[in-house]
Amino acid sequence: MKEFSLTEEQQAVIHHPLGRHARVLAVAGSGKSSTMAFRIQHLVQDCHISPHAIRVLMFNRLARQQFRAHLDRTGLPDVLQPEVHTFHSFSFQVINEMVRIGVLPGLTQFWTGEKEELVWLTVKRAINALEQQGQIGTNTIESEDALHAISLWKGALLPPERAGSWSNPRMQLVYAAFERLRLEKSALTFDDFIPLAIDILETNANARRRWCGPVEFLIVDEYQDVNYGQQRLLELLADEKADVMAVGDDDQTIYEWRGARPNYIVRDYEQVFNHKAHAMYRLSHSFRFGPSIAYAASCLIGNNTQRVSKQVIAFQPNKPGFIQVYSGGYESNKAMMEQVQALLDGDGVLPQEIAVLSRLYAQMDHLEAEFLNRHIPYRVEGHEPFFKRSEIKTLLDYLRLAKSFHEPLDERVAELFLRLANKPNRRLSRAVLGRLMDETLSLGFSLDHVLHNLLNTTIFPLSHWQREKLEELWMLLSDLHAGIASGQDAGQLLSDLVDETGYLQSFQNYYGDGEHADGKIMAVQNFLEYVRHTRLTPLSLLEHIARLDTTQGAPVEEQVVFTTIFRTKGLEFDYVFLPETNEGVLPYLKGEHVDIYDTSGRFVEDTLSDKLESERRLFYVAITRAREGVFIGTGSHPSRFLHEIQLEEVTIQ
């Protein structure tokens, strides 16, 4: 082992004495993975610990692959390397063995991988059944929202009878119905792995001896990201015997929306693993960036109180780096775009080493538009480009439907109509409308003709309310068709559509006054602004959108990365761009609750640690992704965080 290449702090962690727990708090870019790898090498080769006595847990497959590469670089032979698992792969291993030996004989299906679509279909089936039974209103619960809530409940080890939702109390009914359907099929989802493994280890003494008994050393990466269920699994694995080394950074706890809490590593760690003495270590030196970014990061995060005090120190004191702020709202996006162009053209920076990060995808819309106009290839990680987002596609679908309003009805138009009839929610019966489409599809009538006849007949049962709403929809489509036929400006036509339908208000009605609704509202507003700038007719706009390709067929290394800050943990780039860093956006201070909670009160982690501190951690993660420079765009209300970084080198233009 080349110890001379490691810092004194890293050496202390590597040689942590046996028989004690260790908590390692590592700043961004501090080489924690290398440190853990050398710790394992030390245990195996210097302390003669069997690799079978060491269990290593990572958060995802990419982290596991990267850590195996770090183990290889230590020179430790493959035969002496311990197994490295994700939380889910380890849990699956436990479950699979129980199935093999007949302890779980009824389990026949795994709804994962290629079969993951069965989860979505089952949720959809549960929602449809509840709608038909009148237990939930039509179109009051989206499948995606139900899937997210169910995932959170299972991560918190909450069964349906204890599941609560702040935004939609009837979401629990979907959870219960989904579980009944899943159990009927004897199936497991990805989210069931950890809860079931916990249940096995808690109730089966043989399984506990098999999986927990051999463990003498338990090493966990990214401990700040654990949720309640993962913490319980670790507690069982330690089994009041193993030395636990938890490696993470409380300042990078940004996944509270999925159950992580900074207190799990700051406060609760010593309470959960209380069978041995503890030691705490800090990895303060960052190898990623120079002193300018390090100082800014320290100044910023030092304003948080729910943390363990530590400084971010640049390992290379002479490494260049900077943070530059552009003010002026929309003009700041243009200035940032010019900087991107300069980096690509003049400085020879690879596009994949440039990242545009934001809290919400909608905050990137203006820069997306600039990239499209300049034909610079980019990709959006974890989301569709703004013109393919569901809330935008709905507006474009209205244009497509209105365009075909007087044409003979076909399956495409019929499906389009059924999809739009309750967007926003008009409480129209999909069953009645579906039957109407089926019976008129082959008659050669236009949608205009079909709707006109429906409004003037009593054959199909429509309430007074439904008849009124259907007439409004018919008139709306008629007006849209007229606007398209006359070549009216698409921006004005879509703005009128949004106003007349109460489209923006519908997001608040459904999601409440929170981040999800605000993100969709912002996306629609940004799209309308984009369309107005194009000055295209509706038909030309549809043709324009159809031709858009963000990547332009370029290979991955020639694409700039667009993604949210939440998706960048463990990643780094040469240059990071942060558009629209404004007060009210970052920090975003609405909502003090995670949407799910425990109705029994036994599990109390339903509130965020502190909303402002959570947002500050998010900004900290954002600026520490950069190796060389950070470019920040802001408007008339700059984020308070820009004042907290206290860096003289920050330039506001």
Side-chain angles (χ1 to χ4, degrees):
M1 179 173 68
K2 298 179 180 179
E3 297 190 351
F4 62 86
S5 64
L6 301 167
T7 67
E8 291 183 4
E9 291 177 328
Q10 290 174 309
Q11 293 281 7
V13 173
I14 292 166
H15 296 96
H16 166 70
L18 307 186
R20 302 179 72 188
H21 296 314
R23 185 170 35 149
V24 183
L25 300 176
V27 304
S30 59
K32 63 180 176 63
S33 296
S34 295
T35 305
M36 287 189 296
F38 280 114
R39 166 67 176 174
I40 291 170
Q41 185 205 45
H42 171 68
L43 290 174
V44 174
Q45 292 189 329
D46 300 337
C47 302
H48 308 292
I49 304 297
S50 168
H52 302 295
I54 304 171
R55 189 163 310 281
V56 184
L57 288 176
M58 300 278 158
F59 261 81
N60 53 50
R61 285 178 291 180
L62 177 61
R64 180 175 64 178
Q65 292 168 358
Q66 291 174 340
F67 187 70
R68 284 172 171 167
H70 283 289
L71 280 173
D72 290 337
R73 283 194 285 271
T74 68
L76 193 66
D78 289 347
V79 295
L80 295 180
Q81 293 184 17
E83 290 186 20
V84 182
H85 289 282
T86 67
F87 281 90
H88 287 88
S89 70
F90 170 76
S91 298
F92 178 76
Q93 200 172 59
V94 173
I95 294 165
N96 204 39
E97 180 163 307
M98 294 298 102
V99 172
R100 184 180 60 81
I101 64 177
V103 176
L104 296 172
L107 185 60
T108 60
Q109 296 187 57
F110 291 95
W111 289 352
T112 58
E114 295 180 353
K115 295 184 178 179
E116 207 164 50
E117 187 180 358
L118 291 172
V119 180
W120 185 89
L121 291 172
T122 305
V123 166
K124 189 71 177 175
R125 182 182 165 192
I127 292 172
N128 290 340
L130 291 169
E131 288 179 348
Q132 291 174 9
Q133 296 162 12
Q135 297 191 56
I136 62 175
T138 303
N139 296 311
T140 58
I141 294 179
E142 295 281 351
S143 301
E144 290 76 9
D145 298 319
L147 283 167
H148 180 62
I150 291 170
S151 180
L152 288 177
W153 279 318
K154 291 187 175 187
L157 308 182
L158 295 177
E161 59 269 21
R162 289 169 51 198
S165 169
W166 295 107
S167 65
N168 195 332
R170 294 189 175 273
M171 192 77 78
Q172 179 270 346
L173 298 176
V174 180
Y175 182 19
F178 172 81
E179 286 295 272
R180 286 193 296 271
L181 292 170
R182 179 182 68 81
L183 293 171
E184 285 176 6
K185 298 292 186 180
S186 299
L188 280 187
T189 73
F190 185 76
D191 291 321
D192 292 312
F193 286 2
I194 293 175
L196 182 54
I198 289 171
D199 184 63
I200 292 169
L201 296 177
E202 287 180 335
T203 59
N204 190 303
N206 290 330
R208 191 156 179 168
R209 280 192 296 271
R210 161 74 174 89
W211 295 102
C212 305
V215 180
E216 299 176 25
F217 298 88
L218 180 60
I219 299 175
V220 187
D221 190 25
E222 303 289 1
Y223 195 90
Q224 78 282 343
D225 293 334
V226 300
N227 61 22
Y228 180 77
Q230 290 164 334
Q231 181 180 255
R232 177 57 184 155
L233 179 63
L234 293 171
E235 187 179 4
L236 289 167
L237 286 175
D239 200 29
E240 300 187 357
K241 177 174 68 69
D243 291 5
V244 180
M245 177 173 282
V247 185
D249 184 7
D250 52 305
D251 292 331
Q252 296 187 67
T253 307
I254 62 174
Y255 297 138
E256 289 195 77
W257 53 274
R258 69 183 190 196
R261 297 290 182 275
N263 274 334
Y264 288 174
I265 191 171
V266 173
R267 182 194 65 197
D268 297 352
Y269 177 78
E270 293 185 6
Q271 299 174 11
V272 172
F273 304 105
N274 58 9
H275 54 282
K276 293 184 180 182
H278 289 75
M280 186 173 72
Y281 300 91
R282 294 174 175 81
L283 298 180
S284 309
H285 292 84
S286 179
F287 301 89
R288 181 176 298 161
F289 40 71
S292 293
I293 296 175
Y295 181 72
S298 285
C299 290
L300 171 77
I301 206 64
N303 289 277
N304 276 7
T305 59
Q306 300 179 40
R307 64 188 293 265
V308 178
S309 179
K310 51 189 173 297
Q311 292 292 311
V312 185
I313 304 168
F315 182 74
Q316 303 176 64
N318 297 319
K319 182 179 174 68
F322 59 87
I323 295 177
Q324 188 161 307
V325 180
Y326 297 100
S327 61
Y330 188 72
E331 292 302 315
S332 72
N333 288 308
K334 289 185 175 180
M336 295 173 75
M337 190 67 243
E338 293 297 329
Q339 187 60 63
V340 171
Q341 196 78 63
L343 290 173
L344 294 174
D345 294 343
D347 298 338
V349 178
L350 284 175
Q352 66 176 358
E353 296 300 342
I354 299 174
V356 179
L357 310 180
S358 67
R359 198 188 194 294
L360 301 171
Y361 283 103
Q363 292 168 239
M364 299 182 286
D365 291 350
H366 289 126
L367 273 183
E368 275 201 65
E370 291 287 343
F371 270 69
L372 288 168
N373 291 335
R374 294 174 182 251
H375 305 289
I376 297 176
Y378 72 94
R379 67 183 185 276
V380 183
E381 295 280 8
H383 209 275
E384 295 281 12
F386 80 96
F387 55 87
K388 290 186 178 180
R389 294 173 198 168
S390 60
E391 56 271 26
I392 306 305
K393 287 178 67 176
T394 294
L395 297 179
L396 295 172
D397 281 345
Y398 263 108
L399 294 183
R400 295 184 182 103
L401 184 61
K403 172 178 167 288
S404 306
F405 195 50
H406 291 300
E407 298 172 4
L409 197 62
D410 57 25
E411 290 184 0
R412 179 188 60 83
V413 175
E415 179 56 36
L416 201 56
F417 172 72
L418 291 175
R419 192 160 68 239
L420 294 175
N422 284 299
K423 289 186 177 182
N425 189 17
R426 299 182 177 91
R427 302 181 190 174
L428 295 171
S429 171
R430 183 178 174 94
V432 171
L433 296 180
R435 186 154 59 95
L436 174 69
M437 294 294 106
D438 290 340
E439 295 186 10
T440 57
L441 197 56
S442 62
L443 300 178
F445 297 142
S446 68
L447 181 60
D448 175 40
H449 184 87
V450 171
L451 295 182
H452 180 270
N453 285 352
L454 177 61
L455 291 168
N456 291 279
T457 186
T458 57
I459 298 176
F460 290 89
L462 291 175
S463 66
H464 174 75
W465 169 267
Q466 290 180 321
R467 190 173 297 277
E468 188 177 273
K469 290 296 179 180
L470 189 62
E471 187 171 8
E472 289 178 5
L473 178 57
W474 176 51
M475 294 177 64
L476 176 71
L477 292 171
S478 296
D479 291 342
L480 277 175
H481 179 82
I484 293 171
S486 65
Q488 187 178 337
D489 179 76
Q492 186 60 56
L493 197 65
L494 289 175
S495 294
D496 292 343
L497 171 65
V498 168
D499 292 340
E500 290 174 24
T501 59
Y503 193 48
L504 299 183
Q505 183 61 46
S506 72
F507 296 125
Q508 288 189 322
N509 293 343
Y510 183 83
Y511 294 107
D513 187 21
E515 186 174 355
H516 203 159
D518 286 353
K520 290 182 176 295
I521 290 170
M522 187 185 300
V524 171
Q525 291 172 332
N526 289 342
F527 178 69
L528 292 177
E529 184 178 344
Y530 172 79
V531 174
R532 283 193 289 269
H533 276 92
T534 67
R535 305 185 69 82
L536 294 171
T537 66
L539 295 181
S540 297
L541 175 67
L542 291 174
E543 292 173 0
H544 171 71
I545 296 294
R547 290 195 300 268
L548 291 180
D549 174 16
T550 68
T551 69
Q552 300 178 47
V556 170
E557 64 271 15
E558 296 178 13
Q559 301 169 18
V560 175
V561 179
F562 279 64
T563 193
T564 64
I565 304 167
F566 295 104
R567 297 183 64 87
T568 61
K569 288 287 293 296
L571 302 179
E572 56 186 76
F573 307 89
D574 285 346
Y575 298 95
V576 165
F577 288 77
L578 300 171
E580 302 191 23
T581 308
N582 303 315
E583 198 69 15
V585 177
L586 188 64
Y588 183 90
L589 298 178
K590 291 183 182 179
E592 294 297 327
H593 293 280
V594 177
D595 190 50
I596 64 109
Y597 68 97
D598 182 358
T599 57
S600 74
R602 282 182 280 171
F603 175 75
V604 297
E605 296 285 5
D606 61 300
T607 57
L608 299 175
S609 55
D610 180 275
K611 192 64 187 272
L612 180 59
E613 296 205 356
S614 180
E615 293 293 294
R616 189 175 284 113
R617 290 193 295 270
L618 192 62
F619 191 64
Y620 170 84
V621 168
I623 64 175
T624 56
R625 298 309 93 192
R627 304 186 193 98
E628 307 291 340
V630 183
F631 300 92
I632 301 173
T634 187
S636 56
H637 300 287
S639 169
R640 70 188 74 188
F641 298 152
L642 301 184
H643 301 286
E644 293 177 359
I645 56 181
Q646 298 180 17
L647 192 65
E648 292 182 0
E649 286 85 345
V650 170
T651 305
I652 300 180
Q653 299 184 345

